[in-house]
Structure formats: structure tokens, C-alpha cells
């Protein structure tokens, strides 16, 4: 049995990762598209045999309510549009898979969760790393206590961003800069490895190119304290390439991944040697997992609440930068 997906937004991620991944999925099938660019309709219809009645644009999207051939809408639009299309999708009776970061604010996340709940639809966030075997091994190992109680995690992700005119550098469409886009992977790693929610954060920002990064953050470093006492030292940047990793240090051992957050080529090391598993298509795994949740009527492990918790931590980080003070993370 299969679950039919419609992709909402046919940009780089949909084109280069998600649609190809949907050729490998067992339970998820690419059945529809929603695009604001009319020229893409025929290209996608031809390439993926999409039926004309399963093609929508942003204006007539709500008519998808009458289409029983679509079960899930996968929102792959700029961050600032996630809330609108998640709410419209849920109101149209569709389950929603939404790309990360879930939305521009925790208030928006709460609206999205409420809309899905009201319509009795499932909501998941595109946290592909949570399905990746190296990440799963690291969580299992840390939480098994193999290396004793955990003391610290170092995590960071950044890259040198190109085109100065892209939506990722615009506050309304991106909701923030490096932190929202890729710092969220480091934050996720800390939460995923420990299974804990940060209590408080301290954060600072540096900007070497204030013109390019007029609206969003360029480089942020932050620390987070977990309830158990684990300290997390994190960083993110849009200014340079290279940081793409986490390391976790326990009383009697350590492990880490570098690169940790890429689509492929994930590599790990531990006190006991290399961490090696097959590379998988993380998007295929993520979509099959959501399809199974729908088929088996279970909540996703990467639920809307999971997305909300990241936004609450991100808001505390931005607040700490503003105030210069240690800032409590609000509870979900
Ligand atoms: P992109 O710029 O390549 O695509 C965005 C799409 O949205 C384009 O098709 C564009 O036409 C459309 N769009 C509609 N209204 C727009 C507007 N006002 N301004 C700009 N574009 C508009 O971006 P992308 O890299 O595909 O990212 C899309 C989403 O996926 C983002 O939320 C991003 O954070 C997320 N993403 C996730 C991963 C991951 O590994 N999970 C990787 C990349 C991107």
C-alpha cells in the first residue's frame, strides 16, 4: 500500500533530492505538484507522469481538498511560507510534511499544530538526519551509557552562501539566517543525542559582511545547558565552509560524525574506532517513515511538536544575542 504525495514548491530541494528520492520509496509515491511557475508543470508532468488533475498552483491549491488521489502535501517552499501552506493543506484535509525550519516563529508552529489537530491530520517536519543510520547509532550509543554519563557536545554546521539576492538572506522569507537554515542541524543533534530539551542558552553573533547580511544572521556561536548538566557548544555560519559535525563526550569515551549533516558521505569516529554504516537516501527514509505513520495511524517521531521545540530554542538564542544575557528556553 502506498501514500500519495504532492510536492508544494519545485525549487532546488524538490528537484534535486526529493523527487529523485520518491523514485526509491516503498510506501510514498509522487502523485502531484503545486507550483507557482507554469513552465514547470509540463516538465514535471512529463518527467514523473503526473496526471493533469493532480497539478495545482498557489491560488487554486485549496481545491486539492476534493482530490482523493493526494494524501500528503510536502511543503518545500521558503521558510516564511511554511505556515500558510501547512494550514491550507491541513484545512484541505491533507497530512502535511513540512521542510525545516518548521516556520519563522514558535507562534506560527503552534498555529500549524493546531490546524492539523483540528482537521485530524498528521504533521511531520523534514528532519532527515533522524532516519540516518550513523545518527541513530550515535544516539543509541550515547543513551545506552556505553561511554558513561555524557558531559559535553560540540556541534556546528555552516556553509559559504552565494547569491546575495536569494530568499535565504531576506528576513520575511527566511525567518533568520544561518541559525534558522543550518544551525538548526547542530541544535537538532544536541536534542536528538541527549533526548533532552535545553534549559537555557547564551549566544553571540558576529557579522563581517553587514551589507550582505543586513536582514539575517551571518555567524552565531552559542552554548546550551541540558537538564542533566550536559553542556552543548554550538556554532553556525553563512560565511565559510568546513564545519559540518558533532562530537559527544562521555565520562569514559567519545564519538562524533564529520561530515554529519550532508546528504551522503556521513563519516564517524569513536573511542573504539570508525563508525561505519551504509549510506542511505535520507529523504526516501523520511518520506517512507511518514507514509508508514499514516498507514499505521501513528504519530511521527519528527512531529510538529519537535519542530516547535527547535523554534523555541532558536528564539531563546536570538533573544540572548539581543540582551547579552543567559536566556531561558520557553517550554513547549
Ligand atoms: P529554492 O529557492 O531552491 O526553492 C524554493 C521554491 O519556492 C522555488 O521553486 C520558488 O519558485 C518557490 N517560491 C515561491 N514563492 C517564493 C518567493 N516568494 N521567493 C522565493 N521562492 C519562492 O529553496 P530550497 O533549497 O528548495 O528550500 C526550500 C525549503 O526546503 C526551505 O524551507 C529549506 O530550508 C528546505 N531545505 C531543506 C533541506 C534539507 O536537507 N532538509 C535542504 C535544502 C532546503
Amino acid at each position: 500500500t502506498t501514500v500519495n504525495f504532492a510536492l508544494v514548491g519545485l525549487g532546488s530541494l524538490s528537484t534535486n533530492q526529493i523527487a529523485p528520492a520518491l523514485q526509491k520509496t516503498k510506501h510514498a509515491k509522487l502523485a502531484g505538484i503545486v507550483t507557482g511557475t507554469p513552465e514547470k508543470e509540463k516538465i514535471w508532468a512529463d518527467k514523473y507522469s503526473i496526471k493533469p488533475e493532480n497539478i495545482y498552483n498557489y491560488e487554486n491549491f485549496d481545491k486539492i481538498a476534493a482530490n482523493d488521489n493526494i494524501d500528503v502535501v510536502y511543503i518545500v517552499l521558503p521558510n516564511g511560507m511554511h505556515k500558510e501552506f501547512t494550514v491550507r493543506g491541513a484545512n484541505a484535509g491533507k497530512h502535511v510534511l513540512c521542510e525545516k525550519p518548521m516556520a519563522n516563529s514558535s507562534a506560527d508552529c503552534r498555529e500549524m499544530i493546531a490546524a492539523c489537530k483540528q482537521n485530524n491530520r498528521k504533521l511531520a517536519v523534514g528532519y532527515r538526519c533522524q532516519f540516518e543510520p550513523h545518527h541513530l547509532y550515535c544516539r543509541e550509543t550515547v543513551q545506552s551509557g556505553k561511554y558513561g554519563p555524557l558531559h559535553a557536545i560540540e556541534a556546528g554546521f555552516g556553509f559559504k552562501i552565494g547569491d546575495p539576492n536569494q530568499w535565504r538572506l531576506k528576513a520575511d522569507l527566511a525567518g533568520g539566517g544561518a541559525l534558522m537554515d543550518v544551525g538548526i542541524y547542530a541544535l537538532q543533534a544536541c536534542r536528538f543525542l541527549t533526548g533532552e530539551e535545553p534549559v537555557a542558552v547564551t549566544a553571540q553573533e558576529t557579522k563581517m559582511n553587514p551589507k550582505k547580511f543586513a536582514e539575517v544572521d551571518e555567524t552565531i556561536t552559542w552554548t546550551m545547558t541540558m537538564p542533566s548538566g550536559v553542556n552543548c557548544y554550538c556554532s553556525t555560519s553563512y560565511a565559510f565552509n568546513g564545519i559540518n559535525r558533532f562530537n559527544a563526550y562521555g565520562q569514559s569515551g567519545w564519538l562524533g560524525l564529520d561530515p554529519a549533516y550532508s546528504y551522503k558521505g556521513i563519516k564517524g569516529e569513536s573511542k573504539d574506532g570508525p563508525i561505519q554504516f551504509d549510506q542511505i537516501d535520507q529523504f526516501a527514509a523520511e518520506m517512507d517513515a511518514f507514509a508508514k505513520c499514516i498507514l499505521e495511524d501513528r504519530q511521527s517521531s519528527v512531529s510538529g511538536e519537535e519542530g516547535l521545540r527547535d523554534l523555541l530554542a532558536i528564539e531563546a538564542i536570538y533573544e540572548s544575542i539581543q540582551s547579552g544575557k543567559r536566556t531561558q528556553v520557553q517550554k513547549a
Side-chain angles (χ1 to χ4, degrees):
T1 34
T2 55
V3 174
N4 286 340
F5 280 56
L7 297 183
V8 186
L10 306 178
S12 136
L13 188 69
S14 284
T15 304
N16 301 317
Q17 306 299 331
I18 298 174
L22 279 162
Q23 311 312 302
K24 305 176 203 164
T25 41
K26 288 197 196 80
H27 306 289
K29 185 174 177 277
L30 176 55
I33 51 173
V34 183
T35 178
T37 314
E39 308 84 78
K40 289 182 187 166
E41 293 183 8
K42 190 177 153 37
I43 298 170
W44 278 69
D46 289 351
K47 184 157 187 191
Y48 293 112
S49 312
I50 291 164
K51 295 190 188 120
E53 62 268 29
N54 292 347
I55 300 176
Y56 296 85
N57 57 46
Y58 302 142
E59 286 71 42
N60 67 18
F61 173 57
D62 310 278
K63 295 208 168 86
I64 205 166
N67 188 341
D68 289 338
N69 293 321
I70 304 294
D71 305 304
V72 174
V73 291
Y74 189 169
I75 314 299
V76 201
L77 290 163
N79 310 338
M81 299 171 76
H82 290 180
K83 180 190 78 168
E84 179 192 334
F85 282 84
T86 294
V87 171
R88 285 171 71 182
N91 287 342
K94 304 305 171 188
H95 302 289
V96 182
L97 177 53
C98 178
E99 259 311 325
K100 47 55 65 180
M102 184 172 162
N104 280 8
S105 70
S106 61
D108 284 357
C109 294
R110 291 189 200 280
E111 271 186 57
M112 294 156 78
I113 292 168
C116 291
K117 207 167 180 183
Q118 268 160 25
N119 289 290
N120 195 22
R121 298 293 84 181
K122 295 190 195 303
L123 173 59
V125 183
Y127 291 133
R128 57 182 168 78
C129 294
Q130 293 206 21
F131 303 95
E132 203 285 322
H134 299 75
H135 284 254
L136 289 163
Y137 169 83
C138 289
R139 179 181 66 173
E140 239 172 70
T141 305
V142 163
Q143 294 191 5
S144 74
K146 179 176 183 190
Y147 293 135
L150 200 65
H151 283 273
I153 298 174
E154 292 180 293
F157 193 22
F159 72 101
K160 187 174 157 74
I161 198 164
D163 178 9
N165 298 314
Q166 62 187 292
W167 65 262
R168 281 184 168 78
L169 300 175
K170 300 196 166 49
D172 55 341
L173 286 168
L179 177 62
M180 283 288 276
D181 191 28
V182 285
I184 194 169
Y185 286 90
L187 169 60
Q188 269 278 304
C190 297
R191 295 184 49 249
F192 182 69
L193 288 168
T194 58
E196 294 184 63
E197 297 304 324
V199 179
V201 305
T202 61
Q204 45 276 312
E205 180 184 2
T206 51
K207 235 174 229 194
M208 288 174 71
N209 190 345
K211 196 161 163 254
K212 184 166 183 178
F213 300 100
E215 294 190 30
V216 302
D217 44 286
E218 178 184 326
T219 299
I220 291 177
T221 58
W222 78 97
T223 66
M224 301 190 288
T225 318
M226 295 300 195
S228 63
V230 175
N231 264 304
C232 305
Y233 323 119
C234 304
S235 71
T236 187
S237 182
Y238 266 164
F240 59 94
N241 291 322
I243 298 183
N244 178 348
R245 64 180 160 82
F246 67 73
N247 287 300
Y249 304 90
Q251 188 106 39
S252 57
W254 56 271
L255 54 70
L257 302 181
D258 188 349
Y261 314 110
S262 307
Y263 300 145
K264 44 184 152 165
I266 311 300
K267 271 170 63 178
E269 282 290 335
S270 76
K271 183 192 170 209
D272 299 311
I275 299 168
Q276 268 172 328
F277 294 93
D278 289 343
Q279 304 292 328
I280 65 158
D281 186 315
Q282 299 167 40
F283 292 96
E286 161 205 294
M287 289 187 282
D288 267 339
F290 191 47
K292 279 187 92 176
C293 285
I294 290 161
L295 292 170
E296 295 165 9
D297 193 19
R298 286 183 287 107
Q299 204 200 23
S300 165
S301 59
V302 288
S303 64
E305 284 74 12
E306 178 73 5
L308 167 63
R309 288 186 195 107
D310 276 344
L311 260 295
L312 290 166
I314 286 172
E315 286 172 347
I317 291 166
Y318 284 132
E319 202 183 311
S320 174
I321 291 167
Q322 288 305 315
S323 69
K325 292 191 179 122
R326 186 170 190 268
T327 303
Q328 302 288 315
V329 180
Q330 298 298 310
K331 294 244 165 17

